[in-house]
Amino acid sequence: MRPQKDINELFKLVIQDEKLNILQKKILLNEVRKLRPPEEDRWVYRTIVWVLGAVALGTVIYPFVNSTATEIPAGLLSIGSAAMGALAGYLTPNLKPKDEPRQAPDHAEPPPFNPPAAETQQEPSPAVNP
């Protein structure tokens, strides 16, 4: 995977190059855009949102289209609710910054492990037959 910084530098170099005309810059910028990792491809997310939205909407529309159905089948209902949950997860912004370095905990050593004391077990008394 290429670092994001290098790809941004390529964008700047192509844009600032005075030897290239606008059409050549457009072609080069499109090729540089393809170098980005799949996580940054906006069409992947758009496709996911469209498909999950269609599944969720299909679950709601199903009883109206199928006039013989009196209720939504449990399997279709669970697929629709899972699609709505996934859609909410994709559309919720990620508030955690990606480039924030992780810090080590304040304490250098873990706390000591003190195993619990073994309980003494009594021998069961033999059964007395009268």
Side-chain angles (χ1 to χ4, degrees), residues 5-62:
K5 193 174 190 179
D6 293 342
I7 295 173
N8 288 341
E9 291 296 322
L10 277 174
F11 271 113
K12 289 177 186 176
L13 288 174
V14 170
I15 291 171
Q16 294 172 354
D17 192 356
E18 297 175 1
K19 297 177 187 174
L20 301 172
N21 64 25
I22 293 177
L23 182 60
Q24 291 171 332
K25 286 182 181 182
K26 184 177 178 182
I27 292 170
L28 282 174
L29 288 174
N30 192 28
E31 292 300 319
V32 171
R33 181 187 55 82
K34 291 177 185 177
L35 294 174
R36 289 191 170 182
E39 298 89 36
E40 294 181 12
D41 188 9
R42 60 181 173 217
W43 286 104
V44 171
Y45 291 107
R46 288 180 185 180
T47 304
I48 289 171
V49 168
W50 279 104
V51 169
L52 290 173
V55 169
L57 193 60
T59 304
V60 174
I61 294 176
Y62 173 78

Side-chain angles (χ1 to χ4, degrees), residues 66-126:
N66 188 1
S67 60
T68 61
T70 57
E71 62 183 39
I72 301 174
L76 186 62
L77 187 62
S78 64
I79 289 172
S81 57
M84 286 299 293
L87 190 60
Y90 273 110
L91 296 179
T92 303
N94 186 4
L95 301 177
K96 181 180 176 184
K98 293 180 181 179
D99 296 334
E100 183 177 302
R102 293 186 179 191
Q103 296 179 353
D106 292 336
H107 58 282
E109 295 180 16
F113 176 71
N114 297 324
E119 296 180 15
T120 57
Q121 295 181 353
Q122 295 180 349
E123 293 281 330
S125 58

